Amino acid sequence: MEAFTHLSVLLSIILGLGMAELLGGFTRLIEHRSTARLFAPAICWALLLLIVHVQTWWTLFGLRGQRDWTFLSFCVVLLQPIALYLLASLVFPRGEHPDLRSSYFANRRWFFAFLIFLLLASLAKDLVLSGSLPSTPNLAFHVVLLVTSAVAIYTPNERFHRQLAFSSLAMILLYI
């Protein structure tokens, strides 16, 4: 068995768990639609995360040509799916009366801290596997999202969070 085939199993499992969290959250909103309090930024982030889960799984296939795997390089690659799972588990509240707005603001610091962790893990993956940072457009995307995520940790301004969620969703669609 090739090393990548073996290693990709764990990556796929964690990505699948994250997608299950997101899809389960959407299902809970449908099940509790009469009592759920929706909040557009939370739904935007959930859609964005669903896209990023699939995009990450897709791009990880590009690592099949990587031959010199070490435990360290694998752990660095593993950080991305882990961060995505943590984000997915925070985006939707649990329970029978989901209130997306209150959950969003209650968890925003952790959510954006994990988003920063995801972005840093993505940059670390490029550094460890290729020895360099990603191309300029890719790096610019990372930097913009890193800076805005840092601001999001510290600002409870609802308007800022609405704009950030919608613009981030638009940026990821353009990025892909």
Side-chain angles (χ1 to χ4, degrees):
M1 176 185 286
E2 257 183 60
F4 178 76
T5 303
H6 176 72
L7 299 175
S8 68
V9 171
L10 183 57
L11 299 170
S12 297
I13 289 170
I14 296 170
L15 287 169
L17 288 171
M19 290 182 71
E21 283 282 336
L22 292 166
L23 296 172
F26 282 116
T27 302
R28 284 190 304 279
L29 289 180
I30 293 167
E31 289 174 344
H32 303 290
R33 64 190 168 276
S34 63
T35 58
R37 292 189 58 212
L38 301 181
F39 186 59
I43 293 170
C44 276
W45 284 113
L47 290 171
L48 181 144
L49 288 171
L50 196 56
I51 292 165
V52 173
H53 272 79
V54 174
Q55 192 254 351
T56 300
W57 181 78
W58 182 262
T59 59
L60 287 175
F61 184 69
L63 298 178
R64 70 192 178 285
Q66 183 81 17
R67 297 285 176 234
D68 54 339
W69 284 101
T70 64
F71 184 69
L72 174 64
S73 62
F74 177 66
C75 286
V76 170
V77 171
L78 189 60
L79 291 175
Q80 272 186 285
I82 289 170
L84 282 168
Y85 174 80
L86 293 169
L87 285 161
S89 68
L90 285 176
V91 77
F92 284 127
R94 293 186 173 36
E96 293 184 23
H97 306 289
D99 181 347
L100 270 61
R101 185 185 182 285
S102 65
S103 175
Y104 178 90
F105 284 105
N107 292 316
R108 84 167 196 283
R109 287 190 170 116
W110 281 102
F111 181 86
F112 288 103
F114 285 134
L115 185 53
I116 290 170
F117 175 66
L118 171 67
L119 294 163
L120 293 174
S122 175
L123 294 173
K125 179 190 73 158
D126 285 344
L127 276 173
V128 167
L129 296 180
S130 70
S132 64
L133 289 171
S135 64
T136 302
N138 190 348
L139 184 58
F141 174 79
H142 279 75
V143 170
V144 167
L145 204 48
L146 273 164
V147 170
T148 55
S149 294
V151 172
I153 288 173
Y154 294 103
T155 183
N157 183 291
E158 187 171 321
R159 188 172 172 198
F160 172 82
H161 283 274
R162 284 183 184 279
Q163 291 173 342
L164 178 59
F166 287 113
S167 62
S168 295
L169 182 58
M171 281 190 338
I172 197 70
L173 292 172
L174 288 171
Y175 173 77
I176 291 172

